[in-house]
């Protein structure tokens, strides 16, 4: 019985080594100082570091002011793609810190989050 469990654990471990994996270019999109009432466009690079195609299922901003656009086609192993983020700066000055959540078929972490940060002036 122990041999069967060990073999199963080994097989599961090997499958994750061969599977797709999403790697973010950075944990944060630093926008710096931005002017009130404007829209800032930025890009988060994502890379498939696995051996199978990576499929991004959804990308969602934490509020209506953070609007992401993502690739709808699979990302080949070893390839990268861009997630475009449009941030609409409101009329209130100060620091902002929004999140963007990526849901994919990454076998190790199906959800990854990065932050959009800056200061509205």
């Amino acid at each position: 019985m122990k041999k069967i469990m060990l073999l199963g654990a080994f097989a599961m471990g090997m499958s994750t080594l061969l599977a797709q994996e999403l790697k973010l270019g950075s944990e944060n999109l630093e926008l710096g100082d931005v002017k009130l009432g404007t829209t800032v466009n930025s890009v988060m690079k994502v890379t498939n570091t696995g051996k199978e195609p990576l499929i991004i299922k959804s990308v969602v901003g934490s509020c209506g002011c953070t609007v992401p656009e993502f690739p709808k086609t699979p990302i080949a192993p070893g390839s990268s793609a861009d997630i475009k983020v449009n941030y609409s700066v409101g009329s209130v000055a100060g620091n902002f810190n929004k999140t963007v959540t990526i849901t994919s078929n990454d076998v190790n972490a199906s959800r990854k989050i990065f932050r959009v940060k800056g200061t509205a002036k």
Side-chain angles (χ1 to χ4, degrees), residues 93-115:
N95 295 332
F96 57 87
N97 184 349
K98 305 299 181 180
T99 61
V100 176
T101 303
I102 304 169
T103 304
S104 71
N105 67 336
D106 181 327
V107 295
N108 297 318
S110 63
R111 288 181 12 150
K112 298 246 178 157
I113 298 173
F114 66 89
R115 296 189 172 279

Side-chain angles (χ1 to χ4, degrees), residues 37-82:
T38 61
T39 298
V40 181
N41 303 310
S42 193
V43 173
M44 173 60 73
K45 183 169 286 301
V46 295
T47 303
N48 180 0
T49 59
K51 303 289 184 198
E52 296 293 328
L54 175 72
I55 299 169
I56 297 177
K57 298 175 182 176
S58 69
V59 181
V60 180
S62 59
C63 67
C65 59
T66 308
V67 181
E69 297 176 36
F70 64 97
K72 306 292 192 270
T73 58
I75 302 169
S79 296
S80 297
D82 292 336

